[in-house]
Amino acid sequence: MVQTDGDAGQNAPTPPARFKEFYRTFYREMLKVAKAAGAVTDQEAEDVVQDAMTDVYKNWASITSPRTYAATAVRRAIAKAQRHERFLIARMIERGHHDPVGKDDSGLAACDTRQHVQQILNQLTPGQRQVISLLIEGLAYDEIAEALGKTPAAVRKQAQLGRDHLKQTLRDEREDRMEPAQAGQMRKEAR
């Protein structure tokens, strides 16, 4: 039986057992909440719901309405991602990497940017992607290690490998857009 408001009986199952039932019952509903809140891809929705479910599990003993708690966590995570994306786009514009002139399709541009970033992140291993995502969220290496059940050294290594892969991918993309002479010069400078 899933714990709901006022449903804390003395003979209730342990939190993990109740959580497992909650997870099975509401996971798909939370995916719909994520999509309705603005998740662009199925992967983004799954990542946000997974993070929310992890949060529910960690705080199970103090939550009176897990369904409401999870839905609120999902909505807040999507809103935070959207704010972060707007910040990144504004920063790109400030640095001259993006030209807003003549662009009245800001929603489409934001969607394209989010999908491009997601495609790049999908090139990482699942462990690297998870660590990089948590770093972006502002967690420290120790916090990530605890959340993932890894050592801080393993988390730092995953972050380093992920960053190296992302740098190389972005460098390759930039070279593809350059004239051959410019790309050659950039490769020389990178050494």
Side-chain angles (χ1 to χ4, degrees), residues 131 134 139-156:
V131 168
L134 292 171
L139 272 67
Y141 289 114
D142 292 341
E143 294 171 318
I144 295 170
E146 183 179 330
L148 300 179
K150 297 181 180 184
T151 66
V155 169
R156 280 191 288 280

Side-chain angles (χ1 to χ4, degrees), residues 20-123:
K20 286 178 186 177
E21 184 177 350
F22 170 78
Y23 187 94
R24 282 192 301 271
T25 305
F26 293 106
Y27 185 82
R28 284 195 169 99
E29 179 181 331
M30 292 302 121
L31 287 174
K32 290 177 186 175
V33 169
K35 292 297 261 184
V40 175
T41 65
D42 290 343
Q43 183 65 46
E44 180 183 17
E46 288 179 11
D47 289 346
V48 167
V49 170
Q50 196 63 35
D51 290 347
M53 290 296 193
T54 301
D55 196 30
V56 168
Y57 181 79
K58 288 179 183 177
N59 296 296
W60 186 263
S62 63
I63 297 173
T64 56
S65 179
R67 183 178 181 188
T68 303
Y69 187 95
T72 301
V74 166
R75 286 187 200 99
R76 286 181 178 165
I78 294 293
K80 182 177 181 179
Q82 290 170 340
R83 283 190 308 272
H84 183 68
E85 185 175 339
R86 286 191 299 270
F87 167 77
L88 291 177
I89 291 171
R91 188 202 259 155
M92 287 172 57
I93 291 169
E94 288 173 4
R95 293 181 178 176
H97 300 295
H98 183 67
D99 183 12
V101 177
K103 306 256 184 188
D104 59 354
D105 58 346
S106 60
L108 182 59
C111 180
D112 288 345
T113 300
R114 179 180 287 161
Q115 288 175 341
H116 183 247
V117 169
Q118 190 64 47
Q119 287 172 347
I120 292 172
L121 289 175
N122 285 340
Q123 294 176 16

